[in-house]
């Protein structure tokens, strides 16, 4: 009989068959199926922790500034295909321990805001929390990628509390504006990671122009935000 657990492992087995013989896949699954499932469950818990932190910040900012900085939060667990492909591409051993040690982005949380200043306000408030440890920061807003990609990336670790232990899990947090998100979504569809699709220089140029137009919209919206900001309320303390 095929159980739910077997079904959950099918995409992983399929991904492995691209790189291993059938019997090696069987051996791998025998050895690593349980720890792999467990690791993915821990990453899901870490995603929940990080999402909650941002929802709490959104609530608090809405009290302080009378506006909710977060438009939406999208989270994802890296697919087995993507995990296996990245481990092979980077020549890492294909064990569960090695997945945890070598990949920073198995758990991903994307936070979408309206304004660039909100991206940094949220990042600062999030990183100030004493259980969040910053491992790496890539600011593709200050320094966009050559293709025009913009976003603030934070690789962090957060603790998750299990019945008998506390574990630190790594999560990749991407914080960006709606404009940056719209561009990244469309660009992903036409190009990102599709090695077999070679975009013409003209199309690449056009994508870059769209990213620059997006950056201009963000900067004008930022100006509007500043012009319409409410004065800070007087505080008695
Ligand atoms: P998905 O499907 O979004 O999860 P590495 O991840 O280590 O191979 P690096 O340089 O450490 O590469 O990571 P990077 O480039 O800082 O961030 C990777 C993630 O950022 C990607 O995740 C995308 O989500 C996003 N990203 C980075 N560059 C681009 C880009 O040019 N276009 C778009 N649309 N997104 C980008 P994944 O896992 O590749 O994809």
């Amino acid at each position: 009989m095929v159980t739910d657990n077997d079904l959950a492992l099918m995409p992983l087995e399929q991904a492995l068959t691209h790189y291993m013989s059938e019997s090696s896949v069987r051996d791998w699954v025998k050895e690593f199926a349980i720890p792999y499932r467990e690791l993915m469950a821990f990453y899901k818990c870490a995603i929940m922790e990080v999402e909650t932190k941002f929802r709490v910040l959104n609530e608090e900012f809405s009290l302080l500034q009378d506006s909710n900085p977060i438009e939406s939060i999208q989270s994802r667990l890296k697919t087995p295909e993507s995990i296996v492909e990245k481990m092979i591409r980077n020549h890492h051993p294909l064990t569960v321990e090695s997945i945890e040690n070598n990949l920073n982005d198995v758990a991903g949380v994307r936070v979408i805001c309206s304004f660039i200043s909100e991206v940094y306000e949220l990042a600062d408030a999030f990183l100030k929390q004493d259980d969040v440890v910053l491992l790496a920061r890539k600011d593709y807003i200050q320094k966009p990628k050559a293709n025009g990609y913009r976003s603030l990336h934070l690789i962090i670790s957060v603790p998750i509390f299990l019945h008998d232990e506390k574990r630190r899990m790594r999560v990749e947090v991407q914080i960006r504006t709606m404009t940056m998100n719209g561009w990244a979504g469309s660009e992903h569809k036409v190009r990102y990671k599709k090695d077999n699709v070679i975009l013409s220089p003209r199309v690449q140029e056009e994508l870059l122009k769209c990213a620059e137009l997006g950056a201009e919209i963000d900067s004008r919206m930022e100006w509007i935000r500043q012009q319409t900001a409410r004065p800070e309320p007087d505080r008695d303390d």
Side-chain angles (χ1 to χ4, degrees):
M1 193 181 73
V2 180
T3 66
D4 283 352
N5 281 342
D6 294 334
L7 282 175
L9 280 173
M10 274 178 185
L12 176 64
E13 285 187 49
Q14 271 164 12
L16 290 169
T17 51
H18 295 298
Y19 305 97
M20 293 177 183
S21 67
E22 253 180 54
S23 68
S24 306
V25 172
R26 269 199 302 276
D27 290 345
W28 197 98
V29 169
K30 221 188 236 166
E31 189 175 354
F32 294 116
I34 292 173
Y36 178 85
R37 266 204 305 265
E38 193 179 65
L39 182 66
M40 293 304 126
F42 294 157
Y43 278 122
K44 277 190 203 159
C45 298
I47 286 176
M48 289 191 264
E49 291 284 350
V50 171
E51 279 188 358
T52 302
K53 284 175 176 297
F54 279 104
R55 288 190 207 292
V56 169
L57 284 175
N58 196 39
E59 203 57 42
E60 200 217 348
F61 273 99
S62 77
L63 290 174
L64 293 175
Q65 303 176 348
D66 205 16
S67 76
N68 294 15
I70 299 179
E71 285 299 324
S72 63
I73 301 179
Q74 302 158 357
S75 300
R76 67 106 183 90
L77 207 55
K78 209 170 180 63
T79 61
E81 292 89 329
S82 200
I83 291 176
V84 172
E85 183 276 321
K86 194 163 182 179
M87 295 296 287
I88 302 277
R89 175 160 43 90
N90 294 330
H91 309 289
H92 296 308
L94 249 183
T95 65
V96 171
E97 196 187 2
S98 162
I99 292 173
E100 185 171 10
N101 290 339
N102 291 303
L103 297 189
N104 289 325
D105 63 343
V106 176
V109 175
R110 189 172 288 155
V111 179
I112 317 297
C113 317
S114 303
F115 303 101
I116 294 183
S117 49
E118 289 174 335
V119 169
Y120 292 105
E121 284 162 18
L122 279 169
D124 288 349
F126 173 68
L127 292 173
K128 261 191 214 142
Q129 302 186 4
D130 62 11
D131 55 350
V132 175
V133 174
L134 177 66
L135 304 171
R137 176 187 178 111
K138 292 188 206 168
D139 191 340
Y140 296 124
I141 299 175
Q142 291 296 316
K143 238 180 153 224
K145 284 197 167 183
N147 61 357
Y149 175 78
R150 284 167 171 79
S151 188
L152 178 66
H153 290 195
L154 309 171
I155 307 293
I156 55 103
S157 76
V158 276
I160 58 166
F161 296 89
L162 305 167
H163 78 285
D164 58 352
E165 64 166 326
K166 171 174 136 183
R167 279 181 75 114
R168 278 211 157 263
M169 303 302 299
R170 273 182 265 171
V171 179
E172 182 186 72
V173 178
Q174 301 181 349
I175 315 180
R176 48 170 82 147
T177 64
M178 290 188 287
T179 317
M180 295 169 193
N181 196 46
W183 182 92
S186 305
E187 191 265 359
H188 191 274
K189 277 189 191 154
V190 296
R191 174 169 54 179
Y192 194 56
K193 281 193 167 172
K194 291 190 169 57
D195 296 339
N196 50 345
V197 176
I198 297 167
L199 299 177
S200 69
R202 178 78 181 86
V203 169
Q204 292 186 36
E205 203 181 297
E206 212 46 42
L207 276 169
L208 183 59
K209 263 195 205 144
C210 289
E212 283 163 358
L213 284 173
E216 188 177 339
I217 291 173
D218 274 340
S219 122
R220 286 175 178 233
M221 291 304 294
E222 188 59 43
W223 183 85
I224 292 170
R225 184 191 189 205
Q226 277 157 21
Q227 299 307 306
T228 56
R230 284 209 188 155
E232 289 269 320
D234 285 340
R235 300 182 73 145
D236 294 336
D237 55 0

